[in-house]
Amino acid sequence: MCGIVGLFDLRGGRPVDGGLLRRMNAAIGHRGPDGDGFLEEPGIGLGQRRLAIIDLSGGKQPIFNEDGSVGLVFNGEIYNYKEVTRELQARGHVFKTASDTETIVHAWEEWGTSSLDRLNGMFAIALWDRNRRQLFLARDRLGEKPLYWTILPDGMLAFGSELKALLIHPALRRSIDPQAVEQYFAYGYVPEPLTILQGVHKLEPGHMILLEQGNPDVNPRRYWDVSFADPVRTDEASVRAELVDRLRESTRIRMIADVPLGGFLSGGVDSSGVVAMMAGLSPQAVRTFCMSFQQKAFDESSYAEKLARRYATDHHVEQVDATALGPIDDLGAIYDEPF
């Protein structure tokens, strides 16, 4: 899963509290059991918790460019990193690791903010360019990876993968946002860019922020949106074939990993489609995992078992007792805000 945190001085190059940065990072330690890393320079501090998926030995963060002037912490995965890496190497960039994280660093050197147009993945990015004195924050197109941010009263910007990381900061005002409460009662959750706290924001999907030391302006801007300008006009058989082709390719690129992987299988249309694609792409039996419930009205494990038999998966079922109240307190801490 991984997680990132950071502190950035919008007013200049004041020292960052390294102890506070580490406490913020520790607050999201559950997101990355495989280690942590930090970048600290005048006016900037970045932290990361790592769940190692690609390049287990060489992908430790932060990762830097050739001369150390660009550093990055990153939560997510870039599915087309090998193709982008080859293009960057052809342009003269030298890679020290085989990780997808380093691809983002060199893509920034080559294309700046336009590098986002070339990245196919899920991500929350925090990149520091020392020469430009710029901090670049970005979230993937559909918002799979979270990123919270706020401007503190002293002009410091704080951000993190979870709201609980920001709550570690003693200067954060803990005032409920009435508009967020209204949105919560309307939708059952607090939608972007709001959070339950006034002055704390979620970076919206498909958005980025480019910040400069000494410039107090913080202006998130959209870099991508769904386009409906060219509706599909073709026969049904072609649309069906294209849907399967796209689902197969989308599944294939998500199976790139240096650790074992599997599929959550509920028995519904979406997870069944993904597992069907995985089974056709994997030379070994796919590991599948399902949650079952004692309450039959909520239990779909029988459908999952049918799919598991159909595709001969290595199937595992874990039963959940929906009447057990033990996890309630843990859920409140996990969600951070009403859900």
Side-chain angles (χ1 to χ4, degrees), residues 48-324:
Q48 196 256 2
R49 293 292 315 189
R50 187 183 186 208
L51 176 65
I53 303 295
I54 293 175
D55 191 6
L56 306 188
S57 60
K60 180 178 172 58
Q61 298 182 35
I63 280 184
F64 298 88
N65 65 337
E66 294 92 336
D67 66 4
S69 63
V70 176
L72 172 81
V73 293
F74 159 67
N75 169 29
E77 188 172 352
I78 306 301
Y79 305 125
N80 64 333
Y81 79 98
K82 292 183 178 180
E83 295 87 341
V84 179
T85 294
R86 285 193 292 268
E87 182 179 359
L88 289 164
Q89 287 173 328
R91 292 172 177 261
H93 293 270
V94 178
F95 281 70
K96 302 174 184 176
T97 73
S99 71
D100 56 339
T101 309
E102 189 177 359
T103 304
I104 305 171
V105 174
H106 296 294
W108 168 266
E109 288 185 285
E110 189 68 33
W111 301 300
T113 59
S114 298
S115 59
L116 295 174
D117 299 333
R118 298 171 179 265
L119 302 180
N120 180 357
M122 54 176 181
F123 51 80
I125 292 169
L127 180 146
W128 166 240
D129 189 320
R130 183 190 306 132
N131 294 334
R132 299 177 182 175
R133 313 305 296 174
Q134 290 180 333
L135 174 66
F136 178 55
L137 303 177
R139 192 176 178 199
D140 62 73
R141 292 167 178 81
L142 297 180
E144 290 186 66
K145 293 302 180 182
L147 192 60
Y148 295 77
W149 64 275
T150 187
I151 301 175
L152 299 165
D154 65 352
M156 197 73 71
L157 182 138
F159 64 88
S161 293
E162 297 184 22
L163 187 58
K164 61 177 60 65
L166 275 61
L167 288 168
I168 295 297
H169 203 296
L172 180 68
R173 296 191 181 103
R174 290 155 173 78
S175 301
I176 299 297
D177 186 339
Q179 185 180 358
V181 174
E182 181 180 346
Q183 298 273 325
Y184 166 68
F185 283 117
Y187 297 108
Y189 69 101
V190 181
E192 295 99 341
L194 298 176
T195 72
I196 197 63
L197 296 180
Q198 283 183 332
V200 181
H201 317 276
K202 302 182 186 86
L203 185 60
E204 294 183 80
H207 279 67
M208 67 178 203
I209 309 176
L210 186 61
L211 303 162
E212 295 184 6
Q213 282 188 337
N215 184 349
D217 294 334
V218 179
N219 299 307
R221 70 177 181 87
R222 186 187 301 276
Y223 69 86
W224 181 88
D225 199 0
V226 177
S227 173
F228 297 97
D230 299 311
V232 176
R233 294 185 177 89
T234 186
D235 60 279
E236 183 177 334
S238 298
V239 173
R240 287 184 177 185
E242 182 179 356
L243 174 62
V244 173
D245 288 343
R246 286 178 178 244
L247 181 58
R248 183 182 294 111
E249 176 61 13
S250 296
T251 303
R252 183 193 68 80
I253 60 178
R254 285 162 175 79
M255 293 175 67
I256 299 172
D258 295 329
V259 294
L261 56 83
F264 285 114
L265 180 58
S266 69
V269 172
D270 50 358
S271 67
S272 297
V274 170
V275 168
M277 297 299 106
M278 292 177 70
L281 292 163
S282 175
Q284 293 88 28
V286 174
R287 295 185 179 94
T288 52
F289 301 85
C290 177
M291 309 303 291
S292 69
F293 297 90
Q294 293 175 329
Q295 293 76 12
K296 295 301 180 184
F298 300 101
D299 185 49
E300 299 179 354
S301 60
S302 61
Y303 301 109
E305 288 171 3
K306 289 180 180 179
L307 263 293
R309 289 195 299 270
R310 168 67 177 81
Y311 293 103
T313 72
D314 178 12
H315 193 54
H316 305 265
V317 180
E318 185 77 19
Q319 188 172 82
V320 176
D321 181 3
T323 64

